[in-house]
Amino acid sequence: MPALYFTENEYKSRLFATKQEMQRSGFDTLILSDPANIFYLTGFDAWSFYAPLFIVVSCDLDEPIWIGRFQDAVSARDTTYLKEENICAYPDHYVQSSTCHPAEPASHILRERGLDRGVIAVEMGAYYYTARIHAEFVRYNPNARFADGELLVNRVRLIKSDAEQAYMRQAGRIADAAIAAAIDRCAPGVRECDVVAGIYKTQISGTPEYGGVYTTSPPHFCAGERVRTPHGLWTDQPLQNNSALNIEIAGSRLHYHCPISRTVYLGLPPDSYIRLADAVVEGLNTTMDHIKPGMTAEEVELVWRRSIAKHGFEKEARLGYSIGIGFPPTWGERTASLRPGDKTVLQPGMAFHCMSGLWLDSTGIAITQSFLVTKEGNEPLTQYDRSLAAKT
């Protein structure tokens, strides 16, 4: 029996919702290449997306069709609910070849199932849908009209089921453990890479109740002058006294991600940095106190913007983004963002990372909060103290 993370009924309800969106958009067939969407609709879980990997959803078929490298078909049998006839593999000579491409056998399967006509939607902006893949699909399906179906499934994913919310709470506990381990290890003279090694260990070992899996990106570890950068990486240099460092990581439980960022100050923070930290923490807490269903994403950002403006600060980048399933290179769902102009209405079951950080010309700070939208307001997914971690 396959090792499913959810009930077969839940997968079928996700497929039904996807088909409804396809019909509203006028799509007959949808080809998905984003591993997060493939995972969401089928449960498929293996590191095989470095070679072209697809599932095909048709409004006329009861199940998606999985199409991937022949040796990964065994993982499709092990991790999905799909019938054998809907697990289709292409031979190895199509892998990383300059003379042939997996879109050719995939198109043969479309033709055999009568899916090579009408409107075929593809994920034009997905990280794993390349220009060559699209050109090959167009070449081998001359009777079809191709349309952009990017983010169709991503938007179906916005509202999490009770089972998904449970995994995200578990990811939050892993995130808490990992950030606690990192901050505990930070001290003058300790190499940056040794702190990050502790993060990786905790991310994977998880808690006594459940373990973690790899996250979509490495830890962002910005010490010294790099504290003013949001996405820097660690070095093998020792941490210095009287300096700040930012850490952004996530806990991942069965690919459901819960991010967290904290700033550590080694030594006694100067008054100017304490004022910066106070402004960020006040802005974050004020924002969290206001978040409730029915607000729009831009209204959430406005609460934050007004709060930090009282202290003379402004933030150009978005305040946050929707989270859930994550595969490299991002744990963001690429849908709703907490920023001006985003009219997305918050609904119970949505999850976000409130990325309340400020990066200035010579310094930076990041103290953030992941949360679920609830019927009454919101539920923080991490419990680690929302404050500057000063280690004197």
Side-chain angles (χ1 to χ4, degrees):
M1 294 291 293
L4 299 179
Y5 300 151
F6 300 93
T7 65
E8 191 169 330
N9 283 338
E10 179 152 344
Y11 286 113
K12 289 182 177 179
S13 69
R14 297 172 180 181
L15 181 63
F16 178 75
T18 298
K19 288 182 177 181
Q20 284 187 312
E21 291 301 314
M22 289 172 61
Q23 290 169 346
R24 291 190 188 101
S25 301
F27 301 153
D28 301 297
T29 302
L30 175 64
I31 300 175
L32 298 170
S33 58
D34 185 331
N37 290 334
I38 293 172
F39 174 84
Y40 180 73
L41 289 180
T42 69
F44 180 75
D45 189 10
W47 191 278
S48 55
F49 41 86
Y50 65 89
L53 172 69
F54 312 107
I55 64 167
V56 178
V57 178
S58 168
C59 292
D60 298 326
L61 298 180
D62 293 334
E63 289 184 358
I65 303 167
W66 180 95
I67 304 173
R69 187 180 184 181
F70 84 99
Q71 64 185 28
D72 291 314
V74 63
S75 294
R77 298 184 185 98
D78 286 349
T79 63
T80 78
Y81 66 92
L82 302 178
K83 297 183 181 68
E84 182 65 28
E85 68 225 44
N86 292 323
I87 298 174
C88 304
Y90 56 80
D92 199 63
H93 69 267
Y94 284 98
V95 177
Q96 298 177 356
S97 169
S98 60
T99 58
C100 55
H101 193 274
E104 179 183 2
S107 297
H108 292 329
I109 294 165
L110 292 177
R111 190 157 50 251
E112 290 169 357
R113 308 288 177 104
L115 305 177
D116 63 328
R117 58 197 63 127
V119 179
I120 299 177
V122 295
E123 297 179 293
M124 292 292 288
Y127 297 112
Y128 296 90
Y129 191 76
T130 65
R132 186 180 178 194
I133 288 175
H134 187 66
E136 297 286 356
F137 269 127
V138 170
R139 172 188 175 191
Y140 286 110
N141 296 275
N143 298 321
R145 180 167 67 85
F146 282 84
D148 187 6
E150 186 190 6
L151 302 183
L152 184 149
V153 178
N154 302 59
R155 295 196 181 280
V156 172
R157 288 164 40 198
L158 266 171
I159 298 178
K160 278 68 182 173
S161 68
D162 290 345
E164 289 181 293
Q165 291 179 40
Y167 285 144
M168 296 201 70
R169 292 186 185 97
Q170 293 171 3
R173 286 196 60 192
I174 295 172
D176 279 334
I179 201 70
I183 293 175
D184 183 64
R185 186 169 290 197
C186 286
V190 175
R191 294 188 306 169
E192 296 176 18
C193 55
D194 292 328
V195 178
V196 174
I199 293 172
Y200 271 115
K201 180 181 184 299
T202 309
Q203 284 177 320
I204 303 304
S205 61
T207 73
E209 295 79 21
Y210 37 77
V213 298
Y214 64 90
T215 58
T216 63
S217 64
H220 302 311
F221 194 93
C222 306
E225 291 186 354
R226 300 193 319 283
V227 74
R228 69 189 192 283
T229 65
H231 299 126
L233 299 177
W234 64 91
T235 72
D236 60 0
Q237 296 302 302
L239 295 171
Q240 301 297 313
N241 199 21
N242 297 317
S243 65
L245 62 110
N246 291 330
I247 305 170
E248 181 181 2
I249 58 174
S252 178
R253 172 66 173 156
L254 302 176
H255 302 294
Y256 283 83
H257 279 62
C258 181
I260 185 171
S261 300
R262 287 295 182 271
T263 296
V264 182
Y265 199 96
L266 301 179
L268 184 64
D271 289 343
S272 60
Y273 202 82
I274 292 175
R275 288 195 297 272
L276 174 63
D278 288 346
V280 169
V281 172
E282 179 184 315
L284 173 58
N285 290 337
T286 300
T287 303
M288 295 301 300
D289 288 343
H290 280 77
I291 292 172
K292 61 183 179 181
M295 292 182 74
T296 62
E298 68 174 359
E299 287 172 340
V300 173
E301 190 275 343
L302 182 59
V303 175
W304 154 263
R305 180 150 40 96
R306 286 174 171 171
S307 179
I308 63 171
K310 293 186 301 183
H311 299 272
F313 297 110
E314 61 178 327
K315 177 182 171 75
E316 180 181 356
R318 62 183 178 173
L319 174 61
Y321 46 84
S322 61
I323 54 173
I325 299 170
F327 281 78
T330 179
W331 55 58
E333 289 185 315
R334 300 191 301 120
T335 50
S337 290
L338 305 178
R339 63 182 168 198
D342 193 318
K343 309 291 186 183
T344 301
V345 177
L346 272 59
Q347 301 178 58
M350 290 183 176
F352 291 86
H353 182 205
C354 186
M355 190 62 201
S356 39
L358 291 175
W359 290 272
L360 310 177
D361 290 340
S362 60
T363 192
I365 187 168
I367 301 170
T368 72
Q369 182 65 62
S370 293
F371 65 91
L372 281 168
V373 181
T374 65
K375 292 180 180 179
E376 295 78 23
N378 67 86
E379 173 190 343
L381 286 169
T382 59
Q383 306 303 318
Y384 200 87
D385 186 52
R386 295 199 292 253
S387 64
L388 174 65
K391 301 188 70 175
T392 56

